[in-house]
Amino acid sequence: MPKPTWNYAPFWQEAVTRMQQELPEQEYAIWFSRIQYTDSEEQKLILSVPSQFILDYVAEKYLHPLQSLLTELTGEPIVISFTVKTPAKNAKPPQEPPQSTSNKEKATQSKTTPEAVQKPVRKGQQDTNLNPLYQFSSFVIGTNSDFAYNAAMAIAKNPGVSYNPCLIYGGVGLGKTHLIQSIGNYIQTHTPILKTVYVTAEEFTNEFIQSIPNNKITQFKNKYRKVDVLLIDDIHFLQGKESTQEELFHTFNSLYETNKQMVFTCDRPISELKELTARLRSRFERGLNVDLQPPDYETRMAILKKKCEEQHCFMSDEVLDYISKSVNTNVRDLEASLTRLIAYSDLLKKEITLDIAKEQLKYSFALNKEQSLSIDVIIRVVATHYGISPYELKGKKKTKSVVQPRQIAMYIARDVTDFSTTEIGYEFGGRDHTTVMHAVQRVEGLIKTDKALTTTIEKLEREIISSRKG
Ligand code: ADP
Ligand code: MG
């Protein structure tokens, strides 16, 4: 007896047409252009998709609706099975030139999505504005960053599904740009069909402002409202920029409604941003907010080792230990110190000894003699003592409960480090050196009469110095 052949292809076509009528255009174009009918078996429809990521997403979202639709259409209890079928050509997306990527996209586009064919979803990697050097693989995870790293990775694997929007906040040089761009680069590599755009808040603002007199506002709106993944770095820049905030608010709503992924970074928690409209603030506070803290000693060591490895240079553990103990502000300073030593070693063809490292880093901006103390530590210790956040301490709030601890922290910074008032002002949220001078004079005046305050300051200074040694 001949084996019966099953062919559910026509039912599949019908199901696709119905889904198209039901789903938002963009959603349909993105996901259904990736699903291809492959085969039929008894009461079973086999569909293929180009990657595991798409399979996971499509299966979670559409498996049940599609099964019931097909069951209804065929009158049989249909089961759908998805398989991953990587396009044979250009199967390895990471290093693909843009040209071959669009070939691949054409190869997997189904006939049913003319709009996706007409408009290649991604023209080329240059469109994203991403720097390919920022990758998850080069990010060293420590207790200061593991939560942010994991959230970023989860987003990169499932954009628009969980943690949307996500805000990564933390001080300068702690890896915000590295993480947000890693998300973009990961998505570009693993799900290039998604249109990803990375932009700094400053670029976003400039682009918006320039679009107004040039009658390009529609173009601007289209650009940002038609992405699948929008990554905006340094949103603190938007403070006081009302019309840009207004525009971003609408962009946000439009993307949010269609489950597009948004990630932002900021140098402080949203609650501490000033001159931000309440409605945009509430948007940023939605979703997940994660912070990056300065790395501890072990993480600093791990980061230095990784950077040495990447640059194929050798530094003894003794030297790395010295750098890690001396530079405790942030990763950028850590990198700069290492770069300086590598340059020295390259130029003079000398191996870096501990003495050379000490000599070379003596003048480095982040170091102060043997007793190098980071202002961050001072800020943290003083803030904790007064029950406020380090951000508040560095921030602009002028209430008495914040002003006095801030002045005390500035006084301590002047007392126990060799930082100039200009440098201290910079570390305290970009203040002028005269503010620091004023703070120092004020606290000097206070401790003349206030015994309790003197004791407190001494205690804080001891704590700061011992935390530095530890
Ligand atoms: P931010 O945007 O927070 O100011 P960046 O992301 O620009 O900081 O980081 C500063 C430098 O330190 C970059 O060169 C970045 O690659 C590096 N960096 C930051 N955090 C890490 C980390 N955890 N592992 C490896 N490199 C890091
Ligand atoms: Mg940055």
Side-chain angles (χ1 to χ4, degrees):
M1 224 169 58
K3 232 174 114 197
T5 52
W6 313 94
N7 182 8
Y8 296 117
F11 295 105
W12 170 246
Q13 279 310 321
E14 178 58 23
V16 165
T17 309
R18 294 206 188 178
M19 291 305 276
Q20 186 171 17
Q21 285 157 1
E22 257 175 49
L23 295 173
E25 188 185 344
Q26 186 94 352
E27 183 181 340
Y28 170 83
I30 285 178
W31 300 109
F32 278 76
S33 61
R34 307 291 114 185
I35 310 175
Q36 285 202 316
Y37 170 84
T38 302
D39 205 357
S40 304
E41 289 171 13
E42 185 176 5
Q43 297 185 343
K44 184 169 174 182
L45 190 69
I46 299 160
L47 301 173
S48 60
V49 288
S51 76
Q52 186 63 40
F53 167 79
I54 295 175
L55 190 154
D56 291 346
Y57 187 86
V58 163
E60 187 182 324
K61 228 171 157 199
Y62 305 115
L63 180 71
H64 295 297
L66 282 174
Q67 281 185 170
S68 22
L69 186 54
L70 282 154
T71 301
E72 186 192 317
L73 292 170
T74 59
E76 295 174 44
I78 299 288
V79 171
I80 292 178
S81 158
F82 283 109
T83 61
V84 175
K85 204 157 94 186
T86 324
K89 254 206 293 173
N90 314 316
K92 204 169 152 244
Q95 276 87 36
E96 274 177 347
Q99 188 55 44
S100 54
T101 306
S102 46
N103 285 345
K104 179 184 114 186
E105 290 186 353
K106 270 184 209 138
T108 53
Q109 259 143 11
S110 98
K111 287 183 221 99
T112 52
T113 57
E115 70 275 43
V117 178
Q118 284 157 10
K119 279 190 275 163
V121 178
R122 186 173 66 114
K123 280 202 225 105
Q125 293 199 330
Q126 64 275 21
D127 279 347
T128 64
N129 207 13
L130 286 163
N131 177 346
L133 291 176
Y134 291 116
Q135 299 287 346
F136 283 122
S137 54
S138 57
F139 191 90
V140 176
I141 312 161
T143 45
N144 59 312
S145 61
D146 57 351
F147 191 44
Y149 174 91
N150 286 323
M153 189 52 123
I155 288 166
K157 286 187 173 165
N158 281 305
V161 176
S162 43
Y163 312 137
N164 195 25
C166 174
L167 175 91
I168 303 169
Y169 68 90
V172 70
L174 293 181
K176 300 183 296 295
T177 298
H178 192 133
L179 270 188
I180 194 173
Q181 292 222 28
S182 298
I183 297 175
N185 282 316
Y186 188 98
I187 295 174
Q188 277 298 290
T189 303
H190 293 84
T191 328
I193 179 185
L194 298 180
K195 170 100 181 118
T196 302
V197 167
Y198 164 85
V199 71
T200 63
E202 186 173 0
E203 287 161 354
F204 184 87
T205 305
N206 291 341
E207 225 180 293
F208 174 63
I209 292 170
Q210 280 162 18
S211 76
I212 303 170
N214 296 328
N215 278 334
K216 293 226 167 96
I217 195 105
T218 316
Q219 227 165 306
F220 177 87
K221 284 185 202 295
N222 281 342
K223 172 173 173 188
Y224 288 103
R225 294 184 197 181
K226 289 202 169 146
V227 302
D228 299 301
V229 181
L230 179 60
L231 310 168
I232 305 188
D233 208 352
D234 295 331
I235 55 158
H236 46 270
F237 183 83
L238 298 172
Q239 290 174 107
K241 314 248 170 359
E242 259 175 49
S243 51
T244 310
Q245 287 180 27
E246 167 87 13
E247 179 54 33
L248 181 57
F249 173 76
H250 293 297
T251 305
F252 185 109
N253 290 345
S254 154
L255 294 175
Y256 190 76
E257 276 159 22
T258 45
N259 292 324
K260 305 301 184 199
Q261 181 70 51
M262 284 172 281
V263 184
F264 306 102
T265 73
C266 187
D267 69 354
R268 67 204 82 171
I270 294 302
S271 58
E272 287 165 27
L273 286 176
K274 295 281 137 64
E275 295 180 80
L276 183 72
T277 59
R279 56 190 198 160
L280 190 57
R281 183 188 301 274
S282 82
R283 294 301 183 280
F284 287 143
E285 280 169 342
R286 256 187 220 175
L288 183 71
N289 284 210
V290 289
D291 73 335
L292 283 166
Q293 290 291 331
D296 59 12
Y297 169 81
E298 283 74 23
T299 312
R300 296 200 292 274
M301 273 302 265
I303 290 172
L304 288 173
K305 285 187 174 163
K306 176 108 181 170
K307 305 269 170 199
C308 283
E309 213 178 277
E310 280 168 8
Q311 300 187 37
H312 307 290
C313 75
F314 173 80
M315 291 272 167
S316 68
D317 277 356
E318 191 183 40
V319 170
L320 295 182
D321 170 76
Y322 174 73
I323 309 174
S324 300
K325 284 199 172 129
S326 316
V327 185
N328 52 9
T329 42
N330 61 54
V331 186
R332 185 170 299 157
D333 291 353
L334 209 55
E335 256 183 6
S337 306
L338 188 66
T339 305
R340 183 180 174 127
L341 292 181
I342 293 174
Y344 178 91
S345 155
D346 279 355
L347 284 173
L348 299 181
K349 306 266 170 282
K350 270 190 184 169
E351 196 179 304
I352 299 291
T353 61
L354 183 58
D355 284 342
I356 294 178
K358 283 185 179 170
E359 182 60 27
Q360 279 304 305
L361 297 184
K362 193 163 71 183
Y363 303 109
S364 178
F365 56 93
L367 289 170
N368 309 275
K369 294 191 188 160
E370 283 300 75
Q371 208 199 31
S372 159
L373 279 169
S374 125
I375 294 186
D376 271 1
V377 173
I378 298 172
I379 289 174
R380 227 179 312 144
V381 170
V382 175
T384 309
H385 176 82
Y386 287 101
I388 55 179
S389 80
Y391 294 99
E392 276 177 309
L393 201 111
K394 281 200 273 189
K396 303 269 186 267
K397 222 186 248 176
K398 294 218 166 52
T399 49
K400 187 156 181 249
S401 62
V402 178
V403 169
Q404 192 163 11
R406 185 181 296 139
Q407 290 180 332
I408 290 170
M410 287 178 176
Y411 169 87
I412 293 178
R414 196 72 187 112
D415 201 28
V416 303
T417 78
D418 287 339
F419 279 115
S420 66
T421 47
T422 312
E423 287 163 320
I424 295 171
Y426 177 78
E427 297 294 327
F428 277 80
R431 289 183 154 82
D432 193 79
H433 75 283
T434 53
T435 311
V436 181
M437 280 162 61
H438 170 73
V440 172
Q441 283 163 7
R442 173 120 183 86
V443 176
E444 277 171 355
L446 285 174
I447 52 182
K448 278 188 192 142
T449 52
D450 190 339
K451 266 253 153 58
L453 182 61
T454 313
T455 316
T456 304
I457 290 177
E458 280 168 5
K459 177 185 154 281
L460 288 171
E461 289 189 347
R462 271 198 305 277
E463 193 179 328
I464 287 159
I465 289 164
S466 66
S467 85
R468 167 66 198 85
K469 284 181 183 147

